[in-house]
Amino acid sequence: MRPTVYIKDLKNYTGKEVTLKGWLYNKRSSGKIKFLILRDGTGYTQCVVVKGNVSEETFENADKITQESSFEITGTVKEEPRAVSGYEIDTKSLSIISLANEYPITPKEHGVEFLIDHRHLWIRSRRQVAILKIRHRIVKAIRDFFDERGFTLFDPPIITPNACEGTSTLFEMDYFDLGKAYLTQSGQLYGESGAMAFGKIYTFGPTFRAEKSKTRRHLTEFWMVEPEMAFYDLDDNMDLAEEFLEYIVQTVLKDRAEELKELQRDTSKLEKVKRPFPRISYDEAVEILKKKGVDFQWGNDLGGTDETLISEEFDKPVMVHRYPAEVKAFYMKRDPANPKLALAVDILAPEGYGEIIGGSQREDDLNLLLSRIKEHNLPQDFFEWYLDLRRYGSVPHSGFGLGLERTVSWICGLEHLREAIPFPRMIYRNTP
Amino acid sequence: MRPTVYIKDLKNYTGKEVTLKGWLYNKRSSGKIKFLILRDGTGYTQCVVVKGNVSEETFENADKITQESSFEITGTVKEEPRAVSGYEIDTKSLSIISLANEYPITPKEHGVEFLIDHRHLWIRSRRQVAILKIRHRIVKAIRDFFDERGFTLFDPPIITPNACEGTSTLFEMDYFDLGKAYLTQSGQLYGESGAMAFGKIYTFGPTFRAEKSKTRRHLTEFWMVEPEMAFYDLDDNMDLAEEFLEYIVQTVLKDRAEELKELQRDTSKLEKVKRPFPRISYDEAVEILKKKGVDFQWGNDLGGTDETLISEEFDKPVMVHRYPAEVKAFYMKRDPANPKLALAVDILAPEGYGEIIGGSQREDDLNLLLSRIKEHNLPQDFFEWYLDLRRYGSVPHSGFGLGLERTVSWICGLEHLREAIPFPRMIYRNTP
């Protein structure tokens, strides 16, 4: 019973009779003619029902069918440049599969809370379909990029035993007789063990932060891709990240032009995302802020507003490297030229979308790593396995993490991350 | 500083001088010659170090280097059919990057608990590398299969509000001020909402079961892919599942022959996994069990031993359909020909690997679904959004779920699921 023809393939059926199945997106009447817009998940097409040309039953069905009702339609495919898909269906017969109740989401404006309450229906709208199709294409671009470059996929565990950087932003649970366990915040440490086995790996899965942030840039559950490469230093890491971002953006521009148009995205901004990206040191970033009149203290981390002010100076993603070690994680390697600095890099998206990549070269010296763990008051026994990576064939290595929803948000030009994932989870929302 | 040549590409460098970076897999000496096996994550190659042909320092390095030490080696690539990769390196110089401590995993036999304690190192072994490379190829085959057939990726939430089928096998956590939340056991219900928006979707992510099962077939955390298709009935669903399994197995046979050989997998068994697969009803399955002398009561679910006895009759995966509704989930559609049966299908892998796919046509009638929810004493308010899918344009639809680790396990011929994922999580283990 599955459909044999989908809307996206109508061009192959001009002049032929086809049967389509789907849902009513929209309807208008003009006397004895009904224009029904059918959606089937692959596209939208107009079905023309003319009284007299069809049975009474079919015309009645076309008259009574409601928004989002499911139906089956048989008719002839005609080229029609003015219609939504470039084709329309000259209807022969129409049967209703299930007549929908009054659909809650109407063309009028709805509040955001109402829409998220109805997320399971909201995803049927043209805008949400466009966003989630772009999300899919981004995921595929990410995987293709690494697969084509000899990286091995390395799925890290979601349930983790260690409260790596404090428990305040962790989701905690009981794990049988083994005490507390936590949802992962990052697969990186595990990814490092993979890099020592496979040379180059990437992890790609959901990660969790129980942060009490209510901003439009925060989800409690989000997907992150984290490549990790043996024998890569900070410069190699930045080269890879730059190539990676260019690849993602240019692939979406090429393959999802229709969806970007649906979102009215200014694609000229995305077209500029080509290598090389500007690379500035933290010191230079501080200079930019000072020139702009910000009272910024060297040694602090860059805040959201600071990031926006810096990225405004560029029309491409900007790579900010070599941060004060104090504001960065314990596992980052210090700059041999200045041990106060960590060999870290953050990449700030243009148009105020903030940090989309964070990465670093990792500390590969056993004793230095041990002393960092002590300085940070971290429980050494939890990290013994991680320290083993420095005991047995340590090598210089680097990696970075890219947040999927932030990337979707930036490429689609969204105002809030909640539209970048099918069912968003936020501090105040875990339904539907 | 990243490597410019990897072992897998040596064939392009015959007669040329290259520099390789990696780890010492193995070493043997024959008087004034050292044979070092280098691994770099892409393969293994023999490096020959001859006293007199190299500096004293290089020869000393070759002498003192220990298992899993990291090193850099420069030399000329020579064809050598007897050597591990078909090539060997005539060494000019060797420098040690980091001399490894005495490596805990030696060629002698280790207990399984010891090996899992050292999972971060165990993954470097040839066997584990082969398994995880096959896992990667299976994941890619799964995604390619659906991407090429017009399915949209639809990532379901991991944190879910509803204790859908009882809380006894759920991991529970506190979710801010919203009470308890749970880790997902399946993305299916969410996937159904996606099918109504996109026609055909697939979810693919980690799922969780806090089952107190200690068998070799159970992990508490495992990956599952779940396609869901509007307008597919049970037969369409079985056709798709069959094509899907054939595609995965035949792709791995073609692309990962070397790794299957490493695992000494009997590939003749896998070569038989070609359509059509046998399709038998539950009733016929019961007949098979009875003929084999099993005292099996019609109406019970098939247990692991039953599944093995049934699958022994076939040299391909076998599809068992139309189970007693009582042993199946509330959302499955009843067979119009016999309402005691659910339109369910389980696919049993050959060679005793058990159920790898479970699927069904879903109940698309609002009132029937409502009465099932009541019969199962499920909280209706949690399911209002799911019921909405029947209120607004309900259509016949179907889907199934495939467990990734069980599939890896079957294709690789593993005895226990724990080797099928980088860091296995079991009832008695959540480290490292």
Side-chain angles (χ1 to χ4, degrees):
Chain A
M1 61 138 44
R2 65 181 137 175
T4 50
V5 181
Y6 287 98
I7 291 171
K8 72 174 169 49
D9 302 319
L10 284 183
K11 57 180 178 297
N12 306 324
Y13 293 88
T14 315
K16 300 211 173 99
E17 187 174 295
V18 297
T19 295
L20 297 170
K21 298 181 180 192
W23 297 264
L24 185 72
Y25 196 70
N26 217 331
K27 184 170 82 166
R28 65 191 172 83
S29 279
S30 172
K32 291 173 178 175
I33 309 184
K34 308 272 176 201
F35 300 93
L36 312 183
I37 305 290
L38 170 75
R39 65 164 190 88
D40 72 352
T42 76
Y44 305 82
T45 197
Q46 177 164 280
C47 308
V48 185
V49 189
V50 183
K51 191 164 183 161
N53 289 0
V54 296
S55 71
E56 268 187 41
E57 195 193 343
T58 284
F59 196 78
E60 265 166 38
N61 284 339
D63 189 52
K64 76 177 178 200
I65 193 167
T66 51
Q67 191 188 350
E68 283 303 321
S69 292
S70 48
F71 67 109
E72 183 177 319
I73 195 156
T74 301
T76 308
V77 182
K78 281 174 54 183
E79 233 173 305
E80 175 49 77
R82 290 167 304 174
V84 55
S85 61
Y87 297 87
E88 65 178 26
I89 307 295
D90 188 359
T91 305
K92 191 175 153 193
S93 70
L94 183 165
S95 58
I96 293 174
I97 299 168
S98 175
L99 194 66
N101 293 7
E102 198 180 334
Y103 195 62
I105 303 176
T106 58
K108 73 167 189 196
E109 286 276 313
H110 294 282
V112 161
E113 286 308 303
F114 178 87
L115 288 170
I116 310 195
D117 278 340
H118 294 84
R119 185 65 178 165
H120 53 293
L121 303 176
W122 188 24
I123 52 170
R124 300 182 185 184
S125 75
R126 292 184 78 117
R127 175 179 165 83
Q128 301 306 316
V129 164
I131 294 168
L132 293 175
K133 287 202 170 177
I134 290 172
R135 176 186 167 102
H136 180 192
R137 193 62 192 86
I138 291 173
V139 169
K140 183 168 156 53
I142 288 170
R143 293 183 180 267
D144 287 348
F145 179 86
F146 291 117
D147 291 349
E148 286 163 10
R149 283 161 184 77
F151 286 66
T152 300
L153 172 67
F154 190 79
D155 294 312
I158 307 296
I159 298 173
T160 56
N162 41 350
C164 175
E165 298 176 54
T167 57
S168 64
T169 60
L170 286 174
F171 287 108
E172 184 184 274
M173 70 181 96
D174 291 317
Y175 195 87
F176 304 105
D177 304 329
L178 301 178
K180 298 291 180 197
Y182 307 89
L183 293 186
T184 185
Q185 292 197 310
S186 157
Q188 179 205 315
L189 304 194
Y190 292 98
E192 288 183 52
S193 76
M196 301 304 135
F198 297 91
K200 299 187 290 189
I201 63 93
Y202 66 104
T203 71
F204 194 3
T207 52
F208 304 86
R209 298 227 173 135
E211 242 173 307
K212 294 203 166 168
S213 299
K214 268 195 173 184
T215 85
R216 64 199 178 86
R217 298 257 185 84
H218 285 91
L219 296 172
T220 56
E221 177 184 316
F222 56 99
W223 285 64
M224 189 147 65
V225 54
E226 297 176 275
E228 189 75 32
M229 299 75 65
F231 303 110
Y232 272 50
D233 64 17
L234 183 65
D235 285 336
D236 296 323
N237 203 20
M238 290 199 278
D239 290 348
L240 185 76
E242 183 181 59
E243 189 187 355
F244 178 55
L245 277 185
E246 176 187 285
Y247 179 88
I248 294 172
V249 172
Q250 297 306 319
T251 299
V252 173
L253 274 173
K254 185 162 61 72
D255 282 6
R256 289 294 175 271
E258 206 180 301
E259 285 78 8
L260 290 169
K261 199 176 158 196
E262 174 68 42
L263 300 173
Q264 299 178 294
R265 180 68 169 108
D266 179 355
T267 49
S268 69
K269 298 254 165 81
L270 297 174
E271 276 154 19
K272 288 182 185 142
V273 181
K274 292 227 168 121
R275 286 175 289 171
F277 298 165
R279 300 181 184 200
I280 63 172
S281 66
Y282 170 87
D283 286 2
E284 288 166 312
V286 171
E287 280 311 304
I288 290 174
L289 291 175
K290 285 189 171 162
K291 265 188 203 149
K292 291 194 158 191
V294 182
D295 181 22
F296 188 89
Q297 185 75 37
W298 194 100
N300 288 344
D301 203 358
L302 300 175
T305 318
D306 304 322
E307 289 177 351
T308 302
L309 286 169
I310 294 161
S311 66
E312 270 173 11
E313 296 295 292
F314 307 94
D315 57 5
K316 298 180 182 191
V318 52
M319 312 175 91
V320 184
H321 56 81
R322 292 180 171 76
Y323 283 70
E326 302 240 323
V327 301
K328 289 293 182 184
F330 74 95
Y331 51 71
M332 293 188 180
K333 193 175 175 70
R334 302 294 172 97
D335 187 353
N338 179 357
K340 283 192 174 163
L341 300 178
L343 291 174
V345 60
D346 282 355
I347 305 187
L348 313 178
E351 305 174 68
Y353 279 93
E355 184 199 323
I356 41 165
I357 279 185
S360 72
Q361 186 168 339
R362 321 305 188 187
E363 184 52 73
D364 53 330
D365 181 277
L366 175 64
N367 292 321
L368 288 176
L369 188 58
L370 261 170
S371 63
R372 305 281 179 252
I373 285 173
K374 278 173 195 146
E375 281 166 26
H376 283 76
N377 290 314
L378 296 168
Q380 189 186 323
D381 54 333
F382 274 144
F383 290 98
E384 284 301 335
W385 71 267
Y386 184 64
L387 290 161
D388 273 357
L389 307 179
R390 279 72 182 170
R391 291 185 182 110
Y392 305 107
S394 189
V395 303
H397 63 289
S398 298
F400 60 83
L402 170 109
L404 176 60
E405 287 73 16
R406 287 193 180 189
T407 307
V408 172
S409 201
W410 162 43
I411 292 179
C412 291
L414 309 182
E415 293 206 349
H416 197 297
L417 287 189
R418 67 188 158 223
E419 287 182 276
I421 188 167
F423 289 90
R425 296 296 180 242
M426 290 152 294
I427 166 170
Y428 48 87
R429 151 95 55 192
N430 65 3
T431 53
Chain B
M1 60 135 46
R2 65 180 138 177
T4 51
V5 181
Y6 287 98
I7 291 170
K8 72 173 168 50
D9 301 320
L10 283 183
K11 57 180 178 297
N12 306 325
Y13 292 89
T14 316
K16 297 205 177 110
E17 188 174 294
V18 297
T19 296
L20 297 170
K21 297 179 181 194
W23 297 265
L24 185 71
Y25 196 69
N26 216 332
K27 184 171 83 168
R28 63 190 173 85
S29 279
S30 172
K32 290 172 179 174
I33 311 184
K34 308 273 176 200
F35 300 94
L36 312 183
I37 305 289
L38 170 76
R39 66 166 188 88
D40 72 351
T42 75
Y44 305 82
T45 198
Q46 177 164 279
C47 307
V48 185
V49 189
V50 182
K51 192 165 181 159
N53 289 1
V54 295
S55 71
E56 268 185 42
E57 196 192 343
T58 284
F59 196 79
E60 265 166 41
N61 284 339
D63 188 53
K64 77 177 178 198
I65 193 167
T66 51
Q67 192 188 349
E68 284 302 321
S69 293
S70 49
F71 66 109
E72 182 177 320
I73 196 157
T74 301
T76 308
V77 182
K78 280 173 56 183
E79 234 173 303
E80 174 50 77
R82 290 166 304 173
V84 56
S85 60
Y87 298 86
E88 65 177 25
I89 306 295
D90 189 359
T91 306
K92 192 174 150 193
S93 69
L94 183 166
S95 57
I96 294 173
I97 298 168
S98 174
L99 195 65
N101 293 6
E102 198 179 333
Y103 195 63
I105 303 177
T106 57
K108 72 168 188 196
E109 286 276 314
H110 294 282
V112 160
E113 286 307 304
F114 178 86
L115 288 171
I116 311 193
D117 279 339
H118 293 86
R119 185 65 179 163
H120 54 292
L121 303 176
W122 189 24
I123 51 170
R124 300 182 185 183
S125 75
R126 292 183 78 117
R127 175 178 166 85
Q128 301 306 316
V129 164
I131 294 168
L132 293 175
K133 286 200 170 177
I134 290 172
R135 176 186 168 102
H136 180 193
R137 192 63 192 85
I138 292 173
V139 169
K140 183 170 157 51
I142 289 170
R143 293 183 179 267
D144 287 348
F145 179 86
F146 291 117
D147 291 349
E148 286 163 10
R149 282 159 185 78
F151 286 67
T152 299
L153 173 68
F154 191 79
D155 295 312
I158 308 297
I159 297 173
T160 57
N162 41 351
C164 169
E165 299 176 56
T167 57
S168 64
T169 60
L170 285 174
F171 287 108
E172 185 184 274
M173 69 181 99
D174 291 315
Y175 195 86
F176 304 106
D177 304 330
L178 301 177
K180 298 290 180 198
Y182 306 90
L183 293 186
T184 185
Q185 291 196 312
S186 157
Q188 179 205 313
L189 305 193
Y190 292 98
E192 289 183 52
S193 75
M196 302 304 136
F198 297 92
K200 299 187 290 188
I201 63 91
Y202 66 104
T203 71
F204 194 2
T207 53
F208 303 85
R209 296 224 176 139
E211 241 174 307
K212 292 204 167 166
S213 299
K214 268 195 174 184
T215 85
R216 62 198 179 88
R217 297 255 185 88
H218 285 90
L219 296 173
T220 56
E221 176 183 315
F222 56 99
W223 285 64
M224 190 147 65
V225 56
E226 296 176 276
E228 188 75 32
M229 298 75 64
F231 303 109
Y232 272 49
D233 64 16
L234 183 64
D235 285 336
D236 297 323
N237 203 19
M238 290 199 279
D239 291 347
L240 185 77
E242 183 181 58
E243 189 188 356
F244 178 55
L245 277 184
E246 176 186 286
Y247 179 88
I248 294 172
V249 172
Q250 298 306 319
T251 300
V252 173
L253 273 174
K254 185 162 62 72
D255 282 6
R256 289 294 175 271
E258 206 179 300
E259 285 78 9
L260 290 168
K261 198 175 159 197
E262 174 69 40
L263 300 173
Q264 299 177 294
R265 180 69 169 108
D266 179 356
T267 49
S268 69
K269 300 253 165 81
L270 298 174
E271 275 154 19
K272 289 180 186 142
V273 181
K274 292 226 169 123
R275 286 176 288 171
F277 298 164
R279 298 181 185 202
I280 63 172
S281 67
Y282 170 87
D283 286 2
E284 289 167 310
V286 171
E287 280 312 304
I288 290 174
L289 291 175
K290 284 188 173 161
K291 265 189 202 148
K292 291 195 157 192
V294 182
D295 181 22
F296 189 88
Q297 184 74 42
W298 194 99
N300 288 343
D301 202 359
L302 301 175
T305 318
D306 304 322
E307 290 177 350
T308 302
L309 286 168
I310 294 161
S311 67
E312 271 172 11
E313 295 295 292
F314 307 93
D315 58 4
K316 296 181 183 192
V318 52
M319 310 173 92
V320 184
H321 55 82
R322 292 178 172 75
Y323 283 70
E326 302 239 324
V327 301
K328 289 293 184 186
F330 75 95
Y331 50 71
M332 294 188 180
K333 192 175 176 70
R334 302 294 172 96
D335 187 354
N338 180 356
K340 283 192 174 163
L341 301 178
L343 292 174
V345 59
D346 283 354
I347 306 188
L348 314 178
E351 304 174 68
Y353 279 94
E355 184 200 323
I356 41 166
I357 278 185
S360 73
Q361 187 168 338
R362 321 305 188 186
E363 184 51 74
D364 53 330
D365 181 277
L366 176 65
N367 291 321
L368 289 176
L369 189 58
L370 261 170
S371 63
R372 305 279 178 254
I373 285 173
K374 278 173 198 148
E375 281 166 27
H376 284 75
N377 290 315
L378 296 169
Q380 188 185 323
D381 54 334
F382 274 144
F383 290 98
E384 283 301 336
W385 71 267
Y386 184 64
L387 291 161
D388 273 356
L389 307 179
R390 279 72 182 171
R391 292 185 183 110
Y392 306 107
S394 189
V395 303
H397 62 290
S398 298
F400 61 83
L402 170 109
L404 176 60
E405 287 73 17
R406 286 193 181 189
T407 308
V408 172
S409 202
W410 163 43
I411 293 179
C412 291
L414 308 182
E415 294 206 346
H416 195 297
L417 287 189
R418 67 188 157 224
E419 287 182 275
I421 188 168
F423 289 89
R425 296 295 181 244
M426 290 154 292
I427 166 171
Y428 49 86
R429 151 98 52 197
N430 65 2
T431 55

